[in-house]
Amino acid sequence: MQPRNILSAIATSTNTALRTASLKRFYHEDVVYGYRVPKTLEYTDYTPDQLRNRQTHSALVCFVNAYRSIGHRSTDLDPLGMQKKTAIPELDPARYGLTNEDQSFNIDGILSISSSSQPRDAATMAEIHQALKETYSGHVAYEFEHIPDAAVRRWFADYVETGSHETQAFDRFMQKKFGQVKRYGLEGAESTIVALDELFSLCNHAGVTEAVLGMPHRGRLNILVDLLKYPPRALFHKLQGHAEFPEDLPASGDVISHIANSPSLNYGCKDNLHVTMLHNPSHLEAVNPVVSGYGRAKQMYLYDNSTDPNCALGDKLIGIQIHGDAAFTGQGVVMETLGLSNLPHFSLGGTIHLIVNNQIGYTTPATNARSTMYTSDIAKLVDAPVIHVNGDYPEEVARAMRVAFEYRRLFRRDVIVDLITFRRWGHNELDEPSFTQPLMYNIIRSRESIPKLYERRLKADHLKGKWAGLVMPKEAVTTIDTGVAKDTLREVGEKSVLVDGAFKVHPRLAKHHIQPRLQKLRENKPVDWATAEALAFGTLLKEGYNIRLCGQDVGRGTFSQRHAMFVCQETENVYIPLNKIGDGQGRIEVANSNLSELAVLGFEYGVSIQSPNILPIWEAQFGDFNNTAQVIIDTYITSGETKWLRQSGLVMLLPHGYDGAGPEHSSSRIERFLQMCNTPMDLSDPQTVQNPNVHVVVPTTPAQIFHLLRRQMKRNYRKPLVVAGPKTLLRLAAATSTLEDMAPGTSFKPVISDSLASAPEEVKRIIFVSGKLYYDLAKAVAAEKARLGDSIAVVRIEELCPFPSKLIENEIRRFAHATEFVWCQEETMNAGVYTFVQPRLQLLLPAGSHLKYIGRGPLAAPVTGVSNVYKAEQARIVEQAVMGV
């Protein structure tokens, strides 16, 4: 007889294509750096004998399939017993004419029933019905029939058919000692500890060495103390109102429900399991993509340094995400992160999701919180199986985690465990829940709590491991020699566009991209923006740094300017020249993302905090696309170091500039980033030190972006860099740089003086400006040179945070006879950088002087959508800037 254990019929094969490949169009070839897909599985279909048996007993097949498909609707999942259950006609064997309980059936190829761990050949109708009820209608429910892969469905059916905690005391102690503190405890959901403890044990025994954990506030303290070895003394210290960091560290700290820890656990195995719990803000599911990004970066590091040629995606690292029920179905970032889960430049090889289902969101019942039967239904968009389990039965919870772990181990895809529990208190311990759910809380208050298990502790490290050698800066370093020898620049520049001989590049790229770059480099002519960027990438790679370039269409570039990857016109294979510079170089991963900003930016932030040796870059298709990722920007990028002492070297490239595109796609909303900067307002005192949370720049030359990107990696600390980058400047003839501008001894310039003002003593008006408007102003001044002479100087402020006050003072001193000071911008008055620079510049001006504003007036939208009006406004700004001198 053919063995029914599907594991014996499934063979691991890394060469077998997914059988759903016909529904997808594959783009990359698997030799592209960072393109990693999980191993796939090949399975043997039913044997001829099994197919004949299924045809003979077709009524039994329908009955078994009914339990597998909708048996979850008959389970006892609600610990409170409030869910009303109705009879399900499809689960009645009489519906299929199966009325004789003593009738014996050959179940080969139909159902798996074991006796003394041995598969059985036959069973009576009564035994079959009992087995189905025990498997699919108990305290655990399974949803897997929606999965399109037949191998997965057969494995899942076979696997499930064959086959109390100290957190309670902790919560009681906390309620007694800290009853007025919002702790968001686990009381009512103590089985969460059972689930995680079982999962950690399974990981440890399977050889997994790294687990990355993200979770919201509820239950966080329980898990930290019970499982993740957080010192209780440190916890109580924080609860009593003290800081979690020493007073001499520049950290504001965070609330108690956001703290984290990273211990090593061992369950009797040779190697430890290192668990990294990431910090989270109160924006619930925002941590999800951060977990994925952090885990991906760690996984790439383990993979690149592995000596095991058979090391596969997901072998050594697992992602674990804990969710609340209302947030899982309500927050869009959940869907966005799930959407990344199977993409080759984002996959972790499967994440285990645990929904701690309190059956309520704040005070909103499920009937008002979702339109689906289960909170987990959103996960079906990635064909993830779902395991529902009643939290009152810890042994069933452990079993559910074993099924989830084994599924993820074999198939390397996401899986959901829906742990149905309740919340003993309200939204927090200070809430009175019976205001809105009196019947539910009458039942809860009459219940006994779930039994308890285990207790473990450990403490976290800071700036150790890969971060050793970096420092916590006391003052921002803006100018550092980031120049490179010209011969090296030429070598890297040429290799950035060279391909193997058999690779057929699109003829337009050969003519208009490759040949011009090679010619300019060989003839020592000025280079454009894309070339300077490639030089920055290539020289960093040559020095051993890794780069991850991510975003929508980043390989080509939104404006068809970058072309970091070439696609063969005959095979569609992809070639990345920057990965062919030479031996011992770092690698660049070009990750064209899906159409998500929130999840993808969170993912890249996770990459950035995992290792300081990766230059992580997220490029928005247009600058204003960062709007939909505001939660990540607010709660992680601009405040993560201040709250949690987690440095990040993330670069955000945000195409910015008014060019007639209309209200959208014009502004990167740079004013929002400046509002979140902590640079001081009054910088007139020379003793004032600037150590900002982020650097915000508006570079106007290719050399500037070259130095900025290299500066990110050459400093001995990491800070996020927000670049209001170019659009029209990408191909503007005036916006070029020579190799001398990037040679040794050169660096980024926070302020660029007016080199055309040959007689500084004649300057009467200084125009301060940031961004591409400089070129319009410079052109207008040059056109009026006969009239103006040297009466106007245009000074570019290229770095806004930290604010370059000393360099600006130098410019004011250089043009000492100036009496007019102007800030000029193309953005509206209530946007752009004016409101940020005005009070700071005003303090630097000579006594009695006033900073004049020239630009668009206040407007609710970034700019007009009428092209004629736009052109007239733009011309008027330039005209006003140069007139009346």
Side-chain angles (χ1 to χ4, degrees), residues 77 177 685 709 721 770:
L77 295 176
K177 295 295 185 180
D685 184 349
L709 293 173
L721 174 65
S770 287

Side-chain angles (χ1 to χ4, degrees), residues 359-574:
Q359 307 183 69
I360 192 170
Y362 212 121
T363 63
T364 303
T367 52
N368 287 19
R370 64 176 186 264
S371 299
T372 58
M373 177 179 291
Y374 297 115
T375 187
S376 55
D377 285 341
I378 188 68
K380 293 177 182 177
L381 72 90
V382 291
D383 301 324
V386 180
I387 305 165
H388 308 277
V389 59
N390 187 326
D392 259 2
Y393 298 87
E395 70 284 356
E396 300 287 10
V397 172
R399 171 174 168 78
M401 296 310 293
R402 289 193 292 272
V403 175
F405 179 82
E406 190 64 12
Y407 170 85
R408 185 262 177 198
R409 187 184 69 82
L410 280 176
F411 298 102
R412 303 299 161 95
R413 295 171 70 94
D414 286 25
V415 56
I416 314 296
V417 176
D418 180 19
L419 178 61
I420 302 174
T421 62
F422 60 91
R423 197 178 64 195
R424 183 166 292 278
W425 304 97
H427 178 65
N428 58 63
E429 287 75 9
L430 307 186
D431 271 352
E432 175 47 66
S434 62
F435 288 162
T436 51
Q437 277 79 35
L439 297 182
M440 173 183 278
Y441 277 88
N442 283 341
I443 296 173
I444 290 173
R445 285 165 177 163
S446 65
R447 286 175 50 92
E448 294 183 358
S449 61
I450 303 171
K452 46 190 189 295
L453 298 171
Y454 317 116
E455 181 179 348
R456 319 182 189 283
R457 305 182 182 96
L458 189 61
K459 74 178 195 178
D461 295 329
H462 178 62
L463 289 183
K464 294 186 178 181
K466 291 193 288 291
W467 294 82
L470 271 69
V471 302
M472 299 182 63
K474 293 189 166 111
E475 185 171 9
V477 175
T478 58
T479 303
I480 180 174
D481 186 353
T482 47
V484 176
K486 288 176 19 178
D487 288 343
T488 301
L489 292 174
R490 289 193 190 93
E491 174 200 357
V492 168
E494 291 183 8
K495 289 184 175 180
S496 72
V497 289
L498 294 180
V499 298
D500 292 339
F503 193 94
K504 188 173 182 179
V505 177
H506 194 287
R508 286 174 57 189
L509 289 180
K511 181 178 180 180
H512 299 292
H513 181 75
I514 296 176
Q515 292 175 11
R517 180 174 295 184
L518 292 174
Q519 183 178 356
K520 289 175 183 177
L521 289 168
R522 291 166 182 170
E523 297 177 1
N524 200 32
K525 292 182 177 179
V527 298
D528 60 14
W529 201 279
T531 302
E533 182 190 72
L535 295 177
F537 289 164
T539 52
L540 286 172
L541 293 170
K542 193 175 178 67
E543 294 167 21
Y545 295 103
N546 288 336
I547 301 171
R548 180 177 162 91
L549 175 63
C550 179
Q552 297 158 15
D553 199 27
V554 293
R556 186 199 67 162
T558 297
F559 309 98
S560 196
Q561 84 285 359
R562 177 175 293 121
H563 299 290
M565 52 174 270
F566 295 131
V567 179
C568 180
Q569 297 302 293
E570 294 177 344
T571 65
E572 284 202 355
N573 287 343
V574 169

Side-chain angles (χ1 to χ4, degrees), residues 64-114:
V64 170
N65 285 345
Y67 260 97
R68 290 172 177 169
S69 298
I70 60 174
H72 58 87
R73 290 163 50 190
S74 67
T75 49
D76 180 13
L77 295 176
D78 183 7
L80 301 178
M82 297 185 68
Q83 294 180 3
K84 296 180 180 180
K85 296 173 64 175
T86 58
I88 303 173
E90 293 87 344
L91 302 184
D92 183 357
R95 187 181 183 92
Y96 307 93
L98 304 171
T99 56
N100 185 354
E101 291 189 348
D102 297 326
Q103 183 179 356
S104 182
F105 291 89
N106 180 348
I107 58 175
D108 186 20
I110 299 176
L111 178 67
S112 296
I113 298 178
S114 297

Side-chain angles (χ1 to χ4, degrees), residues 1 4 49 53 57 60 104-110 121-123:
M1 184 191 77
R4 280 185 302 278
D49 287 343
N53 188 49
H57 302 298
L60 181 61
S104 182
F105 291 89
N106 180 348
I107 58 175
D108 186 20
I110 299 176
D121 297 328

Side-chain angles (χ1 to χ4, degrees), residues 115-143:
S115 178
S116 301
S117 300
Q118 296 297 319
R120 293 177 55 178
D121 297 328
T124 66
M125 188 61 229
E127 291 173 327
I128 291 170
H129 196 182
Q130 183 63 27
L132 290 171
K133 286 192 292 186
E134 289 177 356
T135 301
Y136 296 108
S137 295
H139 301 300
V140 184
Y142 306 99
E143 290 187 88

